[in-house]
Amino acid sequence: MPDPSTRDGGARRRVPLGAALAALFTFAASLVASRPAPLAAQSVVGSLDAGEVGVRYGDSATISSLALTPALRVELPRATLNASGTYSVSGSGDWSAQGALSASLFTGRLGPLRPEIAGDAGGSTHADGVRTGQLSATLRLHLMRGTWGAWAGGGGGGAWDGEASHQLAIGDVGAWARWRAATFVATATPTHVSGGGDYTDAQLSVRWVNDRVELGGSLGARAGRALALGDGGRRAWGSGSATLWFGEHLALVGAAGSYPVDLAQGFPGGRYATLALRLASRRPHPGAAARRGDARRGVDGGASAAGVDRFALADASGGGRERVVRVHAPRAARVEVAGDFTDWRPVALAPAGHGWWTATLPIAPGTHQVNLRLDGSRWVAPPGLTVITDEFGGSFGLLTVSASPAPAM
C-alpha cells in the first residue's frame, strides 16, 4: 500500500520508529543465528524500485510523489525474513518514509500440521512530525498438500497512530491452491482494535508467473463495526499489478487500485497508481514457470541446471526405516539435503566416488518434501521428482517412499 504523506492536523505524540521495530529485529536475528549454515549461503534477494506514485485519500486532492522502495528477502530452510521501505517526496517538497519487517519460522510437525511462528513490525514518519508504528506476533497451524493448503491461527500486538496507542487482537484463517502457473490465496482476518472497532477483512488474491511476466490481482471487503476515517464509507477494495522482466536484474513494475482504512495506525483509505523501474540482485524465483511445466512431466530442470544429474533412494543394509539418499553431482564440492524427514535441517552428504554423494537417513514410508543444495547455492528440487510451488513462492520435490523402495542405480 502506498505510504500516506498527509494526516489530519492536531498535536501528536511522537513515537520513535525504532522502538516499534526493535523486538522483531531481535527475533529475526535469532532465526538467522540459529541456522547451521552461514547467512551468505542462504537465498538472499535484494531490489530497489524507483518511480512515481499518485495517491488520492478519500475525497481529498491527489498527491503525486517520487518514490524509492528498497526490499530484501532472506530464505532459510525453515524461515523467511522480509524487509522493505519507501521514501517519497511530493512536488511541494513534503516527504514521508515507512518501513516494514516480517519474519516467519516453521517448527517441527504436529501430526499432519506444520506450526508457524511469525512476527510483523512497521512504522512511518512524515515531514509534519507525525510518527506511527505497529508490532504484532502470530501463531498459525498449516495443512500443506501438493497443490493446495490451508491455515488457521491468531495473535495480537500494539499500534500507535501518532496520538494514542491501541491494543490489537487478530485472527488469521486462509487457504491457497495452485493451478498451472497461477496461485490463488483466500484469507479472512477478524480484528479488534481498542478504540477503533471490531471488523473482519476478507480478501482473494491471485498471482500468475511465466518466464518474463508476473501478474497479480486482489479483491477485498470489510464487514463489522469500525470507525470511518476519511474513506467515504468504502468497505471494498481491489488492486492489480504487472511486472515485466527484461532479464535477471531489471524489470518494469506497474500497479493501481484502492485500499481500506488502517484503523491501527490511523491512515485513511484511498486509491493509488504507481509506475517504477526495478533493479534486483536477481529475479526472486527465476525459471519458476518452466519448473512448473516440467513438474507435469515429472522433471525438475532447476536441479539439472544446478549441477545435479541424478537422485536415487535405496534401502539401507540394516533395514527398518533407514534409507540411503544418493545424489550424482560430479562438479559439486558440497551437497546437502533438507526435507520434512530432517525437520528441514540441512544434512551434508558424504562423497562416495565417481561423482556420487550419499547419506543414510531415517525416512518413513509415505510422501515427503525434499530439496537439495550444492556448494551453498539456492535450494532446488531433486531431478525426477514432481515439483511443487507453495503459496510463499518456494518450491520443493515431492518424494514418495514405499515400504520397500527400489534399489538405487
Side-chain angles (χ1 to χ4, degrees):
M1 185 178 75
D3 177 30
S5 59
T6 61
R7 297 284 301 278
D8 293 338
R12 286 170 169 80
R13 176 173 57 87
R14 295 190 177 189
V15 179
L17 177 60
L21 297 173
L24 192 62
F25 269 115
T26 303
F27 172 56
S30 69
L31 294 184
V32 173
S34 67
R35 306 314 305 161
L39 178 61
Q42 311 303 328
S43 173
V44 180
V45 179
S47 65
L48 175 65
D49 290 6
E52 185 166 354
V53 58
V55 184
R56 183 178 180 86
Y57 303 103
D59 298 323
S60 64
T62 299
I63 299 173
S64 180
S65 304
L66 296 176
L68 292 176
T69 303
L72 177 69
R73 179 178 177 87
V74 179
E75 294 182 355
L76 305 168
R78 291 189 300 154
T80 302
L81 172 68
N82 287 286
S84 64
T86 297
Y87 179 80
S88 59
V89 180
S90 68
S92 62
D94 290 334
W95 59 269
S96 65
Q98 67 175 8
L101 179 68
S102 64
S104 171
L105 172 66
F106 281 90
T107 63
R109 287 185 175 273
L110 290 177
L113 302 178
R114 292 282 307 280
E116 178 197 13
I117 303 171
D120 295 273
S124 67
T125 182
H126 310 266
D128 61 2
V130 175
R131 299 184 181 183
T132 71
Q134 182 171 330
L135 181 67
S136 63
T138 306
L139 176 64
R140 305 182 185 94
L141 290 176
H142 292 258
L143 177 64
M144 293 186 180
R145 292 295 183 259
T147 58
W148 65 273
W151 73 89
W160 301 264
D161 64 9
E163 291 182 339
S165 62
H166 303 277
Q167 299 301 312
L168 306 177
I170 306 169
D172 188 1
V173 296
W176 63 272
R178 183 179 61 83
W179 183 71
R180 296 185 178 179
T183 301
F184 301 86
V185 182
T187 62
T189 53
T191 304
H192 168 75
V193 180
S194 62
D198 299 282
Y199 58 92
T200 297
D201 286 348
Q203 183 162 295
L204 175 65
S205 61
V206 59
R207 183 170 180 264
W208 181 88
V209 181
N210 71 9
D211 288 334
R212 291 191 59 194
V213 178
E214 300 175 18
L215 301 177
S218 66
L219 292 173
R222 175 169 293 174
R225 181 177 61 86
L227 300 179
L229 184 66
D231 66 341
R234 181 183 298 113
R235 298 229 172 201
W237 59 91
S239 65
S241 65
T243 303
L244 175 62
W245 287 90
F246 300 103
E248 287 295 298
H249 307 289
L250 182 65
L252 183 65
V253 182
S258 59
Y259 55 90
V261 170
D262 183 340
L263 294 173
Q265 296 189 66
F267 295 141
R271 298 183 294 274
Y272 71 95
T274 181
L275 183 65
L277 195 64
R278 174 170 297 170
L279 298 176
S281 59
R282 66 173 175 84
R283 206 178 155 183
H285 297 282
R291 291 199 300 274
R292 278 191 289 267
D294 288 338
R296 292 190 288 274
R297 300 187 295 272
V299 178
D300 176 23
S304 299
V308 181
D309 297 333
R310 298 178 69 185
F311 174 84
L313 196 69
D315 278 323
S317 58
R321 294 188 174 185
E322 296 292 313
R323 318 287 183 186
V324 178
V325 177
R326 304 185 71 227
V327 175
H328 191 243
R331 296 181 298 277
R334 179 179 175 84
V335 177
E336 296 169 288
V337 62
D340 51 19
F341 49 85
T342 72
D343 202 17
W344 291 105
R345 291 184 174 88
V347 174
L349 278 65
H354 304 288
W356 285 97
W357 299 75
T358 66
T360 301
L361 300 170
I363 307 177
T367 301
H368 298 277
Q369 301 169 9
V370 60
N371 271 342
L372 299 174
R373 180 169 64 182
L374 273 62
D375 301 329
S377 61
R378 63 187 179 92
W379 290 94
V380 295
L385 302 185
T386 297
V387 182
I388 300 300
T389 301
D390 62 26
E391 79 277 24
F392 306 109
S395 61
F396 53 83
L398 207 60
L399 174 66
T400 300
V401 180
S402 63
S404 298
M409 298 181 182

Short mmCIF file of all heavy atoms in Angstrom, two decimals, residues 299-349:
data_model
loop_
_atom_site.label_atom_id
_atom_site.label_comp_id
_atom_site.label_asym_id
_atom_site.label_seq_id
_atom_site.Cartn_x
_atom_site.Cartn_y
_atom_site.Cartn_z
N VAL A 299 9.84 -33.87 -14.11
CA VAL A 299 11.25 -33.50 -14.24
C VAL A 299 11.45 -32.12 -13.68
O VAL A 299 10.62 -31.23 -13.87
CB VAL A 299 11.69 -33.51 -15.73
CG1 VAL A 299 13.13 -33.07 -15.87
CG2 VAL A 299 11.51 -34.90 -16.32
N ASP A 300 12.56 -31.90 -12.97
CA ASP A 300 12.88 -30.58 -12.46
C ASP A 300 14.12 -30.05 -13.15
O ASP A 300 15.24 -30.49 -12.88
CB ASP A 300 13.14 -30.63 -10.94
CG ASP A 300 13.57 -29.29 -10.38
OD1 ASP A 300 13.25 -28.28 -11.02
OD2 ASP A 300 14.22 -29.26 -9.33
N GLY A 301 13.93 -29.10 -14.09
CA GLY A 301 15.07 -28.52 -14.78
C GLY A 301 15.95 -27.71 -13.87
O GLY A 301 17.12 -27.51 -14.14
N GLY A 302 15.41 -27.20 -12.74
CA GLY A 302 16.21 -26.40 -11.83
C GLY A 302 17.35 -27.18 -11.22
O GLY A 302 18.47 -26.70 -11.10
N ALA A 303 17.10 -28.42 -10.84
CA ALA A 303 18.15 -29.23 -10.23
C ALA A 303 19.23 -29.56 -11.25
O ALA A 303 20.42 -29.54 -10.95
CB ALA A 303 17.55 -30.51 -9.66
N SER A 304 18.82 -29.88 -12.49
CA SER A 304 19.81 -30.18 -13.52
C SER A 304 20.69 -28.98 -13.79
O SER A 304 21.91 -29.10 -13.94
CB SER A 304 19.10 -30.62 -14.81
OG SER A 304 18.36 -31.80 -14.58
N ALA A 305 20.07 -27.79 -13.84
CA ALA A 305 20.85 -26.58 -14.07
C ALA A 305 21.80 -26.32 -12.93
O ALA A 305 22.87 -25.72 -13.10
CB ALA A 305 19.90 -25.39 -14.27
N ALA A 306 21.44 -26.78 -11.71
CA ALA A 306 22.29 -26.53 -10.56
C ALA A 306 23.44 -27.51 -10.48
O ALA A 306 24.31 -27.38 -9.63
CB ALA A 306 21.45 -26.61 -9.28
N GLY A 307 23.46 -28.54 -11.34
CA GLY A 307 24.57 -29.49 -11.35
C GLY A 307 24.24 -30.85 -10.78
O GLY A 307 25.13 -31.67 -10.56
N VAL A 308 22.96 -31.14 -10.51
CA VAL A 308 22.54 -32.46 -10.02
C VAL A 308 22.05 -33.27 -11.21
O VAL A 308 21.07 -32.90 -11.86
CB VAL A 308 21.43 -32.33 -8.96
CG1 VAL A 308 21.04 -33.71 -8.45
CG2 VAL A 308 21.87 -31.44 -7.82
N ASP A 309 22.72 -34.39 -11.50
CA ASP A 309 22.34 -35.21 -12.64
C ASP A 309 21.30 -36.26 -12.27
O ASP A 309 20.38 -36.53 -13.04
CB ASP A 309 23.56 -35.90 -13.23
CG ASP A 309 24.57 -34.90 -13.78
OD1 ASP A 309 24.15 -33.80 -14.17
OD2 ASP A 309 25.77 -35.22 -13.79
N ARG A 310 21.47 -36.88 -11.08
CA ARG A 310 20.56 -37.95 -10.70
C ARG A 310 20.32 -37.92 -9.20
O ARG A 310 21.17 -37.49 -8.42
CB ARG A 310 21.14 -39.32 -11.11
CG ARG A 310 21.33 -39.46 -12.61
CD ARG A 310 21.94 -40.80 -12.96
NE ARG A 310 21.02 -41.90 -12.71
CZ ARG A 310 21.35 -43.19 -12.84
NH1 ARG A 310 22.57 -43.52 -13.23
NH2 ARG A 310 20.47 -44.13 -12.59
N PHE A 311 19.14 -38.43 -8.82
CA PHE A 311 18.76 -38.56 -7.42
C PHE A 311 18.13 -39.93 -7.24
O PHE A 311 17.28 -40.34 -8.06
CB PHE A 311 17.77 -37.46 -7.03
CG PHE A 311 17.20 -37.61 -5.64
CD1 PHE A 311 17.89 -37.11 -4.55
CD2 PHE A 311 15.98 -38.24 -5.44
CE1 PHE A 311 17.36 -37.24 -3.27
CE2 PHE A 311 15.44 -38.37 -4.17
CZ PHE A 311 16.14 -37.87 -3.08
N ALA A 312 18.54 -40.68 -6.20
CA ALA A 312 18.02 -42.03 -6.01
C ALA A 312 17.90 -42.33 -4.52
O ALA A 312 18.53 -41.68 -3.68
CB ALA A 312 18.93 -43.05 -6.69
N LEU A 313 17.07 -43.32 -4.22
CA LEU A 313 16.83 -43.73 -2.85
C LEU A 313 16.85 -45.25 -2.80
O LEU A 313 16.30 -45.92 -3.68
CB LEU A 313 15.47 -43.21 -2.37
CG LEU A 313 15.19 -43.22 -0.87
CD1 LEU A 313 16.07 -42.19 -0.16
CD2 LEU A 313 13.73 -42.91 -0.60
N ALA A 314 17.49 -45.81 -1.76
CA ALA A 314 17.57 -47.27 -1.63
C ALA A 314 17.47 -47.65 -0.16
O ALA A 314 17.70 -46.83 0.73
CB ALA A 314 18.86 -47.80 -2.23
N ASP A 315 17.12 -48.93 0.09
CA ASP A 315 17.11 -49.44 1.46
C ASP A 315 18.53 -49.48 2.01
O ASP A 315 19.48 -49.79 1.29
CB ASP A 315 16.56 -50.87 1.49
CG ASP A 315 15.05 -50.89 1.50
OD1 ASP A 315 14.46 -50.01 2.16
OD2 ASP A 315 14.46 -51.76 0.85
N ALA A 316 18.68 -49.14 3.28
CA ALA A 316 19.96 -49.33 3.95
C ALA A 316 20.13 -50.80 4.29
O ALA A 316 19.15 -51.55 4.41
CB ALA A 316 20.03 -48.47 5.21
N SER A 317 21.38 -51.24 4.45
CA SER A 317 21.64 -52.66 4.70
C SER A 317 21.03 -53.14 6.01
O SER A 317 20.66 -54.30 6.15
CB SER A 317 23.16 -52.91 4.72
OG SER A 317 23.79 -52.09 5.72
N GLY A 318 20.85 -52.22 6.97
CA GLY A 318 20.29 -52.61 8.26
C GLY A 318 18.79 -52.76 8.26
O GLY A 318 18.20 -53.22 9.24
N GLY A 319 18.12 -52.37 7.16
CA GLY A 319 16.67 -52.47 7.08
C GLY A 319 15.99 -51.39 7.90
O GLY A 319 16.56 -50.35 8.21
N GLY A 320 14.76 -51.65 8.29
CA GLY A 320 13.98 -50.69 9.06
C GLY A 320 13.62 -49.50 8.19
O GLY A 320 13.32 -49.63 7.01
N ARG A 321 13.65 -48.31 8.82
CA ARG A 321 13.31 -47.09 8.10
C ARG A 321 14.53 -46.36 7.57
O ARG A 321 14.42 -45.24 7.07
CB ARG A 321 12.51 -46.15 9.00
CG ARG A 321 11.13 -46.69 9.37
CD ARG A 321 10.32 -45.66 10.10
NE ARG A 321 8.96 -46.11 10.33
CZ ARG A 321 7.99 -45.37 10.87
NH1 ARG A 321 8.25 -44.12 11.25
NH2 ARG A 321 6.78 -45.85 11.04
N GLU A 322 15.70 -46.94 7.70
CA GLU A 322 16.91 -46.31 7.20
C GLU A 322 16.94 -46.38 5.67
O GLU A 322 16.74 -47.45 5.07
CB GLU A 322 18.15 -47.00 7.77
CG GLU A 322 18.29 -46.87 9.29
CD GLU A 322 18.59 -45.44 9.69
OE1 GLU A 322 19.48 -44.82 9.07
OE2 GLU A 322 17.93 -44.94 10.62
N ARG A 323 17.17 -45.24 5.04
CA ARG A 323 17.27 -45.18 3.58
C ARG A 323 18.60 -44.52 3.21
O ARG A 323 19.11 -43.65 3.93
CB ARG A 323 16.14 -44.35 2.96
CG ARG A 323 14.78 -44.58 3.58
CD ARG A 323 14.17 -45.91 3.20
NE ARG A 323 12.84 -46.05 3.76
CZ ARG A 323 12.11 -47.14 3.68
NH1 ARG A 323 12.58 -48.21 3.07
NH2 ARG A 323 10.89 -47.18 4.22
N VAL A 324 19.12 -44.92 2.07
CA VAL A 324 20.34 -44.31 1.53
C VAL A 324 19.94 -43.31 0.46
O VAL A 324 19.36 -43.69 -0.57
CB VAL A 324 21.30 -45.36 0.95
CG1 VAL A 324 22.54 -44.69 0.37
CG2 VAL A 324 21.69 -46.37 2.01
N VAL A 325 20.22 -42.04 0.70
CA VAL A 325 19.99 -40.99 -0.28
C VAL A 325 21.24 -40.86 -1.13
O VAL A 325 22.34 -40.69 -0.60
CB VAL A 325 19.68 -39.65 0.42
CG1 VAL A 325 19.52 -38.54 -0.62
CG2 VAL A 325 18.42 -39.77 1.27
N ARG A 326 21.09 -40.95 -2.45
CA ARG A 326 22.23 -40.88 -3.35
C ARG A 326 21.99 -39.76 -4.37
O ARG A 326 20.92 -39.67 -4.98
CB ARG A 326 22.44 -42.21 -4.07
CG ARG A 326 22.62 -43.39 -3.15
CD ARG A 326 22.94 -44.66 -3.91
NE ARG A 326 24.29 -44.61 -4.45
CZ ARG A 326 24.62 -44.94 -5.70
NH1 ARG A 326 23.66 -45.28 -6.56
NH2 ARG A 326 25.85 -44.88 -6.11
N VAL A 327 22.98 -38.91 -4.52
CA VAL A 327 22.91 -37.77 -5.44
C VAL A 327 24.15 -37.80 -6.33
O VAL A 327 25.28 -37.90 -5.83
CB VAL A 327 22.84 -36.44 -4.67
CG1 VAL A 327 22.89 -35.26 -5.64
CG2 VAL A 327 21.58 -36.37 -3.82
N HIS A 328 23.95 -37.70 -7.64
CA HIS A 328 25.07 -37.64 -8.57
C HIS A 328 25.28 -36.19 -8.98
O HIS A 328 24.49 -35.60 -9.71
CB HIS A 328 24.82 -38.50 -9.81
CG HIS A 328 26.04 -38.67 -10.66
ND1 HIS A 328 26.14 -38.21 -11.95
CD2 HIS A 328 27.23 -39.26 -10.38
CE1 HIS A 328 27.33 -38.50 -12.44
NE2 HIS A 328 28.02 -39.14 -11.51
N ALA A 329 26.34 -35.59 -8.45
CA ALA A 329 26.69 -34.18 -8.72
C ALA A 329 28.20 -34.11 -8.86
O ALA A 329 28.91 -33.73 -7.92
CB ALA A 329 26.19 -33.28 -7.59
N PRO A 330 28.73 -34.48 -10.02
CA PRO A 330 30.19 -34.62 -10.18
C PRO A 330 30.97 -33.32 -10.06
O PRO A 330 32.18 -33.36 -9.80
CB PRO A 330 30.33 -35.23 -11.58
CG PRO A 330 29.06 -34.88 -12.30
CD PRO A 330 28.00 -34.87 -11.24
N ARG A 331 30.32 -32.18 -10.23
CA ARG A 331 31.06 -30.92 -10.17
C ARG A 331 30.94 -30.22 -8.81
O ARG A 331 31.47 -29.13 -8.63
CB ARG A 331 30.56 -29.97 -11.27
CG ARG A 331 30.81 -30.49 -12.67
CD ARG A 331 30.33 -29.53 -13.74
NE ARG A 331 28.89 -29.33 -13.67
CZ ARG A 331 28.00 -30.18 -14.21
NH1 ARG A 331 28.42 -31.27 -14.84
NH2 ARG A 331 26.71 -29.95 -14.13
N ALA A 332 30.24 -30.83 -7.88
CA ALA A 332 29.99 -30.20 -6.59
C ALA A 332 31.13 -30.48 -5.60
O ALA A 332 31.75 -31.54 -5.63
CB ALA A 332 28.68 -30.69 -6.01
N ALA A 333 31.36 -29.50 -4.73
CA ALA A 333 32.31 -29.67 -3.63
C ALA A 333 31.60 -29.96 -2.32
O ALA A 333 32.21 -30.42 -1.36
CB ALA A 333 33.18 -28.42 -3.48
N ARG A 334 30.28 -29.70 -2.27
CA ARG A 334 29.48 -29.97 -1.08
C ARG A 334 28.03 -30.15 -1.51
O ARG A 334 27.52 -29.37 -2.32
CB ARG A 334 29.59 -28.82 -0.07
CG ARG A 334 28.76 -29.00 1.20
CD ARG A 334 28.95 -27.82 2.14
NE ARG A 334 28.09 -27.91 3.30
CZ ARG A 334 28.36 -28.59 4.41
NH1 ARG A 334 29.49 -29.27 4.49
NH2 ARG A 334 27.53 -28.61 5.43
N VAL A 335 27.39 -31.17 -0.98
CA VAL A 335 25.99 -31.46 -1.30
C VAL A 335 25.23 -31.62 0.02
O VAL A 335 25.68 -32.33 0.92
CB VAL A 335 25.84 -32.72 -2.16
CG1 VAL A 335 24.37 -33.03 -2.41
CG2 VAL A 335 26.59 -32.57 -3.47
N GLU A 336 24.07 -30.95 0.11
CA GLU A 336 23.23 -31.05 1.30
C GLU A 336 21.81 -31.39 0.89
O GLU A 336 21.35 -31.05 -0.19
CB GLU A 336 23.23 -29.72 2.06
CG GLU A 336 24.58 -29.31 2.62
CD GLU A 336 24.56 -27.87 3.10
OE1 GLU A 336 24.53 -26.97 2.25
OE2 GLU A 336 24.57 -27.66 4.33
N VAL A 337 21.11 -32.08 1.79
CA VAL A 337 19.71 -32.41 1.60
C VAL A 337 18.93 -31.90 2.81
O VAL A 337 19.45 -31.88 3.94
CB VAL A 337 19.50 -33.94 1.44
CG1 VAL A 337 19.95 -34.69 2.69
CG2 VAL A 337 18.05 -34.26 1.11
N ALA A 338 17.71 -31.43 2.56
CA ALA A 338 16.82 -30.99 3.64
C ALA A 338 15.40 -31.37 3.25
O ALA A 338 15.02 -31.30 2.09
CB ALA A 338 16.93 -29.48 3.88
N GLY A 339 14.63 -31.79 4.23
CA GLY A 339 13.25 -32.17 3.97
C GLY A 339 12.47 -32.28 5.25
O GLY A 339 13.00 -32.04 6.34
N ASP A 340 11.20 -32.65 5.13
CA ASP A 340 10.41 -32.79 6.35
C ASP A 340 10.95 -33.92 7.22
O ASP A 340 10.79 -33.91 8.44
CB ASP A 340 8.93 -32.99 6.02
CG ASP A 340 8.68 -34.10 5.01
OD1 ASP A 340 9.57 -34.94 4.81
OD2 ASP A 340 7.59 -34.10 4.41
N PHE A 341 11.65 -34.91 6.62
CA PHE A 341 12.22 -36.01 7.39
C PHE A 341 13.50 -35.60 8.13
O PHE A 341 13.99 -36.35 8.97
CB PHE A 341 12.49 -37.23 6.49
CG PHE A 341 13.23 -36.89 5.23
CD1 PHE A 341 14.61 -36.81 5.20
CD2 PHE A 341 12.52 -36.66 4.06
CE1 PHE A 341 15.28 -36.50 4.04
CE2 PHE A 341 13.19 -36.36 2.88
CZ PHE A 341 14.58 -36.27 2.86
N THR A 342 14.07 -34.43 7.82
CA THR A 342 15.19 -33.89 8.60
C THR A 342 14.76 -32.69 9.43
O THR A 342 15.60 -31.98 9.98
CB THR A 342 16.35 -33.45 7.68
OG1 THR A 342 15.98 -32.27 6.98
CG2 THR A 342 16.74 -34.54 6.71
N ASP A 343 13.43 -32.48 9.51
CA ASP A 343 12.88 -31.29 10.18
C ASP A 343 13.41 -30.03 9.52
O ASP A 343 13.59 -29.00 10.16
CB ASP A 343 13.22 -31.29 11.67
CG ASP A 343 12.25 -30.42 12.47
OD1 ASP A 343 11.17 -30.11 11.95
OD2 ASP A 343 12.60 -30.02 13.60
N TRP A 344 13.71 -30.13 8.20
CA TRP A 344 14.22 -29.03 7.37
C TRP A 344 15.56 -28.49 7.84
O TRP A 344 15.93 -27.37 7.55
CB TRP A 344 13.20 -27.91 7.23
CG TRP A 344 12.02 -28.34 6.42
CD1 TRP A 344 10.78 -28.64 6.89
CD2 TRP A 344 11.98 -28.57 5.01
NE1 TRP A 344 9.97 -29.05 5.86
CE2 TRP A 344 10.66 -29.01 4.69
CE3 TRP A 344 12.90 -28.44 3.98
CZ2 TRP A 344 10.27 -29.33 3.40
CZ3 TRP A 344 12.50 -28.74 2.69
CH2 TRP A 344 11.21 -29.18 2.41
N ARG A 345 16.31 -29.36 8.52
CA ARG A 345 17.70 -29.00 8.85
C ARG A 345 18.61 -29.56 7.76
O ARG A 345 18.48 -30.72 7.38
CB ARG A 345 18.09 -29.57 10.21
CG ARG A 345 17.38 -28.93 11.38
CD ARG A 345 17.91 -29.48 12.71
NE ARG A 345 17.34 -28.77 13.84
CZ ARG A 345 16.20 -29.09 14.43
NH1 ARG A 345 15.51 -30.12 13.98
NH2 ARG A 345 15.74 -28.40 15.46
N PRO A 346 19.55 -28.76 7.24
CA PRO A 346 20.44 -29.27 6.19
C PRO A 346 21.32 -30.40 6.71
O PRO A 346 21.88 -30.32 7.80
CB PRO A 346 21.29 -28.03 5.83
CG PRO A 346 20.49 -26.86 6.30
CD PRO A 346 19.76 -27.33 7.52
N VAL A 347 21.42 -31.47 5.93
CA VAL A 347 22.27 -32.61 6.25
C VAL A 347 23.28 -32.78 5.11
O VAL A 347 22.89 -32.90 3.94
CB VAL A 347 21.44 -33.90 6.43
CG1 VAL A 347 22.36 -35.10 6.63
CG2 VAL A 347 20.48 -33.75 7.61
N ALA A 348 24.56 -32.78 5.45
CA ALA A 348 25.61 -32.90 4.43
C ALA A 348 25.75 -34.36 4.00
O ALA A 348 25.74 -35.28 4.82
CB ALA A 348 26.93 -32.38 4.98
N LEU A 349 25.87 -34.58 2.68
CA LEU A 349 26.12 -35.91 2.14
C LEU A 349 27.62 -36.13 2.04
O LEU A 349 28.40 -35.17 1.91
CB LEU A 349 25.48 -36.07 0.76
CG LEU A 349 23.98 -36.41 0.72
CD1 LEU A 349 23.13 -35.29 1.30
CD2 LEU A 349 23.54 -36.73 -0.71
#
